[in-house]
Amino acid sequence: MEADDLLPRVARGDHQAFEDLYGLVSGPVYGLVRRVLRDPAQSEEVAQEVLLELWRTAARFDPGRGTALAWILTLAHRRAVDRVRSARAAGERERRVAHRGEGPAFDQVAEEVEGSLEREWVRRCLERLTDLQHQAVTLAYYEGYTYREVARRLSVPLGTVKTRMRDGLLRLRDCLGAAA
């Protein structure tokens, strides 16, 4: 039996179908995860997480979008990449914490002055943008709107917002680079 035949049965809670599907896809899932993670122990753990997720989310599979095996391997790849990103982020956090402990004592007054100067430079550079660039950058970066929401709020096409944002950010980068 193939994964395409088994997955709909798994979605209905068929334990035997899951056992058969497990036997069919556990090797390819582990192999893919192992190529991404390289660590055998982590690869086993992530492969098990993927197969557990497969049991829980089998009903989400849409045969109109591809084969069951492709969907399962996509789940595996995403989970493996998430593990790599998580490990990388944890390492970065640890390095930042360690680096802070090695540096000079914190000087709050100097930090506040530096922050104030940086805000002033950003304000001056924002003033040099066109109105649409300024509005788009402000809505996206200071108010947290997506490009699509910015386009709706400004009543302009999404492509226009993207272009203005790109141009505005390039101008800001140049302006702030000159300020440094």
Side-chain angles (χ1 to χ4, degrees):
M1 214 167 237
E2 298 218 5
D4 289 316
D5 301 322
L6 294 169
L7 197 55
R9 290 178 41 206
V10 171
R12 292 189 299 272
D14 184 332
H15 291 270
Q16 183 59 50
F18 180 70
E19 188 176 318
D20 294 343
L21 184 62
Y22 186 101
L24 186 66
V25 302
S26 61
V29 165
Y30 176 76
L32 174 70
V33 170
R34 177 74 195 270
R35 281 192 300 277
V36 174
L37 295 177
R38 295 189 181 98
D39 177 80
Q42 278 198 26
S43 298
E44 288 176 10
E45 186 178 315
V46 170
Q48 287 300 316
E49 290 172 7
V50 169
L51 293 164
L52 181 61
E53 180 181 359
L54 178 60
W55 171 253
R56 284 189 258 143
T57 64
R60 293 184 189 162
F61 171 65
D62 178 4
R65 298 185 70 190
T67 67
L69 184 59
W71 182 72
I72 294 166
L73 292 177
T74 299
L75 290 176
H77 185 263
R78 287 180 182 160
R79 182 64 65 108
V81 169
D82 286 347
R83 178 65 64 98
V84 169
R85 288 179 179 153
S86 176
R88 196 173 289 154
E92 285 298 316
R93 279 192 303 274
E94 289 173 8
R95 279 190 285 284
R96 282 195 306 270
V97 167
H99 181 69
R100 272 188 283 196
E102 296 171 358
F106 178 70
D107 184 349
Q108 186 174 354
V109 174
E111 188 77 20
E112 287 177 13
V113 168
E114 188 174 314
S116 178
L117 290 173
E118 287 173 358
R119 282 190 297 278
E120 180 61 25
W121 273 113
V122 170
R123 189 184 62 71
R124 286 182 184 169
C125 290
L126 279 170
E127 288 173 356
R128 294 180 182 174
L129 301 179
T130 67
D131 286 340
L132 186 55
Q133 288 171 341
H134 184 274
Q135 290 171 328
V137 169
T138 301
L139 287 170
Y141 288 92
Y142 290 104
E143 296 183 31
Y145 289 100
T146 65
Y147 283 9
R148 194 173 306 285
E149 292 169 332
V150 170
R152 257 187 256 124
R153 288 189 59 110
L154 298 178
S155 301
V156 296
L158 179 60
T160 302
V161 166
K162 289 180 178 180
T163 300
R164 295 305 181 266
M165 288 287 293
R166 186 193 70 233
D167 294 346
L169 291 173
L170 288 172
R171 288 178 70 181
L172 280 174
R173 182 194 66 191
D174 293 344
C175 179
L176 291 171

